[in-house]
Amino acid sequence: MITQSKSEFFRTAFNRNIGLLTPGELKTLSISRVAIAGMGGVGGVQLTTLARTGFGSFHLADFDTFELENFNRQQGARMQTIGKSKLEVCTEDALEINPHLDIVGFPEGINKECIDAFFKDVDVVVDALDFFALEAKRLLYREAYKRGIYCISAGPIGFGCSLLVFAPAPAMSAENFFRFDLAQNETEQAVLYASGLTPWTNWVADMHQEHVDLEAGRGPSLGLVCQLCGGITAMEAVKIVLGKKGIAAIPTVRRFDALRFRTYRKKLRMGNAGPLQRLKFNIIKRKFGSKQQSIRQKDLTPHLDSFTELSPEAVKQLCYYGTLAPSGDNAQHWKFLWKDNVLELWQDGKRSEFHYAQNGEPLLIAYAAAIENIAIAASALGKTIKTEVVTTLSELATFKDLLVARLTFQDAAIKTDPLLNFIPERRTTRTYYEKRALSESLTSKLLESFQGAHLSHVHLFDSSSLLPLSGQLVKKADKILWEHKNLHADLFRWLDFTDASKEGLPVSSLDLLPPEKLMMSALKNWPLVSFLNKLGLSRMTADKSYQWMKHSGAHCIITVDEISSDSIFEAGRFMQRFWITACAHGLSLQPMTSSAMMCMMYATNKGEGFTTAHKESMREITRLYKQILGSDAIPVMMFRLGYSDKRQIRAARRAIDDVFSSGDAP
């Protein structure tokens, strides 16, 4: 129990601040008052940091309570504080640091009724309000400017902290800086705030698009960045109160990016009204401001924990996980029927017709991947599945509506498969990866994903050692892809140039530059492509695939000893486990399907449908695969893997009600 007087306590507790601060400066801080609006992500950290720095008086405002979803970033969020007032908890935390603090609380938050009291005798104001609390922010900024009080806003966005200091007149006001009057709705106000908070757009690439919902007021935030904000805010408050040099007020914005370990500084003399800021506004709005993106985020939410039995609604949710499996160009050529306690997977004939699927293997691989997803999800309900494949590869290749497999569910004393949470995260990332090799530990975990496979095999190679061979076979295969009329038609059949469809492959996922996107649209025309191939188009597109293979950490090939329904089905299921496992360990992945699919076509049809030149290329591709594998095993899939900062949006899925039914007909 500390029995020291206030002055004795202060001298002892904050003695180590002296040497960087003078005793006189520390005394000034002890009699200074800071008003902090918000005790959430950054407010709680800012309060405790300011208290440890030596500030002696605070006005604190917050109306909210701590919940479990605050644990990743908020200072006061702990098991014992769930449901408790953020204001009360943070006040107690500060008093544990300095029991002599003078703290005045505002449990209703800040509003017009209490704003005078909130600003009374305040030396500096800190904006720690939620990113989306824009009306409260505008009130705070407006009142601080009117009363001639500095207002500090240190906002966490992406992997960095942006610092905005709004000084008294004649400095630029927050309203003139953010220009909220340019917005037509609340979503655009949020975009304007983000544009002003960080005029640099690298954070846009860092943030995963499907986890940002501006309309719902939701976005990702890291605790480590909130900690940065606490220190930066305290330093700025010290400079303001003590009159130290180095205060850079708006229109100057400063930012520290912890991921890149870089500092940024920019002066926006016109605020958000400047032409470059208007351009950035449009970039942010286009990526994060669409209603379609809100729908995608909601679609990703699983609901398995609410079911205690295998009802039709529970089975529908299992099938939802099934639809998150990959399919050729995201054609989603499946339907599900729950009938007499058996789940049937059907082929949607009109969606299944691809030239490269003329022997059925790619279709069965996709169905197997969907079934593997369902099996993983069923573990959350304490169920295993027994699968009966009731069709053949040749029947699938008729491209008709037909029953593919029956799934029956059995009770089992099993734990939820740890891969479940990563099913919605699996996606294809078409961009350059880091070239660094995978660790031995990670390689072992990836190979273990095929544990239990008997008819299919996985081969994992360091990209640098394999590139001379794998790069060549990918180039040869992709050259054929652009020179073969039917394969070219497959390439464009499901390509979505609007990026708004619930089916097909969004063109934005191809990692194309704007001029390349325009060219891609023109290349749907086969006569044009046929002509351009004579000028080297097919070689140019093949070279891009080679560069993708070059910029990778590893290459993976999945093989079977012989082509059969059983071997292809097994390969599809274990392929999906491999892919999700890679995702769970932070790897990006891209299927390089052309060479493997063509090898299966060539092995089955003996070159039928290929020109003489393409037959020669296929023989060379087959020879390269044999050299890589050291056997006559048949490749069914090739991947490139690696680490990438860029994470592309997963292709959208059809609504589950469009593909699931219960009763007599799919």
Side-chain angles (χ1 to χ4, degrees), residues 255-275:
R255 175 172 170 82
F256 175 69
D257 188 318
L259 178 66
R260 298 165 181 84
F261 213 79
R262 285 188 59 187
T263 56
Y264 302 83
R265 180 188 179 108
K266 181 172 289 189
K267 180 173 285 189
L268 303 176
R269 291 181 173 85
M270 298 177 66
N272 275 337

Side-chain angles (χ1 to χ4, degrees), residues 40-41 64-79 81-83 86 130 132 216-223 226 297:
D64 204 2
T65 58
F66 283 114
E67 304 298 340
L68 191 59
E69 65 178 20
N70 304 140
F71 275 40
N72 75 308
R73 67 199 185 283
Q74 298 197 12
Q75 177 87 354
R78 302 180 288 274
M79 289 303 297
T81 64
I82 291 178
K86 292 182 180 181
D130 185 89
F132 296 96
R218 183 177 178 83
S221 182
L222 287 175
C226 294
Q297 171 64 21

Side-chain angles (χ1 to χ4, degrees), residues 373-479:
N373 276 5
I374 292 172
I376 292 171
S379 68
L381 303 178
K383 305 285 185 182
T384 58
I385 66 168
K386 180 180 179 181
T387 305
E388 177 190 7
V389 178
V390 297
T391 190
T392 65
L393 291 170
S394 59
E395 288 172 336
L396 291 175
T398 63
F399 307 127
K400 296 179 180 178
D401 289 356
L402 52 84
L403 178 61
V404 177
R406 293 190 181 94
L407 283 65
T408 55
F409 296 86
Q410 301 169 333
D411 292 329
I414 58 173
K415 295 182 179 179
T416 299
D417 192 315
L419 295 181
L420 175 62
N421 291 331
F422 296 97
I423 291 177
E425 300 298 315
R426 184 214 59 80
R427 68 207 58 221
T428 297
T429 303
R430 298 174 180 86
T431 189
Y432 288 168
Y433 306 157
E434 294 180 28
K435 295 182 181 179
R436 60 180 163 121
L438 309 185
S439 67
E440 289 185 10
S441 173
L442 180 52
T443 299
S444 296
K445 291 174 182 176
L446 291 171
L447 295 175
E448 286 172 6
S449 67
F450 261 71
Q451 190 171 15
H454 303 290
L455 305 175
S456 57
H457 314 280
V458 62
H459 313 266
L460 201 55
F461 306 92
D462 177 78
S463 64
S464 60
S465 62
L466 194 65
L467 183 65
L469 301 177
S470 60
Q472 285 303 312
L473 69 85
V474 166
K475 280 183 67 173
K476 290 180 179 295
D478 278 19
K479 186 171 183 291

Side-chain angles (χ1 to χ4, degrees), residues 111-143:
N111 51 55
K112 293 179 180 179
E113 287 70 32
C114 71
I115 200 70
D116 288 337
F118 185 72
F119 274 91
K120 185 178 181 181
D121 298 328
V122 165
D123 297 290
V124 63
V125 175
V126 174
D127 167 26
L129 293 164
D130 185 89
F131 179 98
F132 296 96
L134 295 178
E135 284 303 313
K137 284 180 179 289
R138 295 179 71 176
L139 173 64
L140 189 74
Y141 297 151
R142 191 164 52 244
E143 291 296 325

Side-chain angles (χ1 to χ4, degrees), residues 9 17 30 114 161 202 219 230 281 320 341 358 364 381-382 423 450 494 539 551 607 609 629 632:
F9 174 88
N17 290 349
S30 73
C114 71
C161 168
N202 49 16
F281 168 85
Y320 168 76
N341 292 320
Q358 61 185 261
L364 189 55
L381 303 178
I423 291 177
F450 261 71
W494 289 99
R539 289 192 299 273
H551 291 83
L629 298 170
D632 291 321

Side-chain angles (χ1 to χ4, degrees), residues 13-296:
F14 302 104
N15 180 63
R16 294 292 292 272
N17 290 349
I18 295 175
L20 294 170
L21 300 173
T22 67
E25 288 175 331
L26 198 58
K27 178 64 175 176
T28 299
L29 296 184
S30 73
I31 60 173
S32 298
R33 184 175 297 275
V34 181
I36 307 176
M39 289 288 103
V42 294
V45 179
Q46 290 166 332
L47 171 61
T48 54
T49 306
L50 288 163
R52 292 187 189 280
T53 305
F55 283 90
S57 301
F58 296 93
H59 285 178
L60 309 177
D62 203 304
F63 60 84
D64 204 2
T65 58
F66 283 114
E67 304 298 340
L68 191 59
E69 65 178 20
N70 304 140
F71 275 40
N72 75 308
R73 67 199 185 283
Q74 298 197 12
Q75 177 87 354
R78 302 180 288 274
M79 289 303 297
Q80 63 268 34
T81 64
I82 291 178
K84 292 185 178 180
S85 162
K86 292 182 180 181
L87 175 61
E88 292 178 6
V89 170
C90 291
T91 297
E92 291 174 5
D93 287 349
L95 290 171
E96 286 292 313
I97 296 169
N98 181 356
H100 301 289
L101 289 176
D102 176 9
I103 297 178
V104 179
F106 294 81
E108 301 300 322
I110 63 164
N111 51 55
K112 293 179 180 179
E113 287 70 32
C114 71
I115 200 70
D116 288 337
F118 185 72
F119 274 91
K120 185 178 181 181
D121 298 328
V122 165
D123 297 290
V124 63
V125 175
V126 174
D127 167 26
L129 293 164
D130 185 89
F131 179 98
F132 296 96
L134 295 178
E135 284 303 313
K137 284 180 179 289
R138 295 179 71 176
L139 173 64
L140 189 74
Y141 297 151
R142 191 164 52 244
E143 291 296 325
Y145 192 75
K146 183 174 72 175
R147 297 163 194 267
I149 300 173
Y150 275 90
C151 181
I152 304 169
S153 179
I157 188 165
F159 291 101
C161 168
S162 295
L163 176 65
L164 284 69
V165 178
F166 296 99
M172 177 181 277
S173 69
E175 288 293 325
N176 287 334
F177 177 75
F178 287 116
R179 290 301 303 271
F180 291 116
D181 58 298
L182 297 175
Q184 297 182 10
N185 51 52
E186 291 182 358
T187 297
E188 290 193 357
Q189 284 190 16
V191 175
L192 282 168
Y193 181 67
S195 303
L197 187 62
T198 173
W200 307 270
T201 55
N202 49 16
W203 67 270
V204 175
D206 294 339
M207 204 167 287
H208 300 167
Q209 184 177 1
E210 71 273 25
H211 294 289
V212 178
D213 190 338
L214 295 183
E215 291 186 357
R218 183 177 178 83
S221 182
L222 287 175
L224 66 93
V225 180
C226 294
Q227 296 290 328
L228 282 175
C229 293
I232 289 173
T233 298
M235 187 68 255
E236 211 63 22
V238 167
K239 289 193 290 185
I240 290 169
V241 170
L242 299 181
K244 289 183 175 290
K245 295 180 180 180
I247 301 171
I250 291 297
T252 297
V253 181
R254 290 166 290 172
R255 175 172 170 82
F256 175 69
D257 188 318
L259 178 66
R260 298 165 181 84
F261 213 79
R262 285 188 59 187
T263 56
Y264 302 83
R265 180 188 179 108
K266 181 172 289 189
K267 180 173 285 189
L268 303 176
R269 291 181 173 85
M270 298 177 66
N272 275 337
L276 285 179
Q277 284 302 102
R278 297 302 294 162
L279 175 62
K280 293 166 189 173
F281 168 85
N282 289 324
I283 291 173
I284 298 169
K285 181 182 176 183
R286 187 162 55 247
K287 180 168 183 179
F288 297 124
S290 70
K291 292 183 179 180
Q292 179 67 26
Q293 194 51 48
S294 300
I295 294 171
R296 281 179 178 164

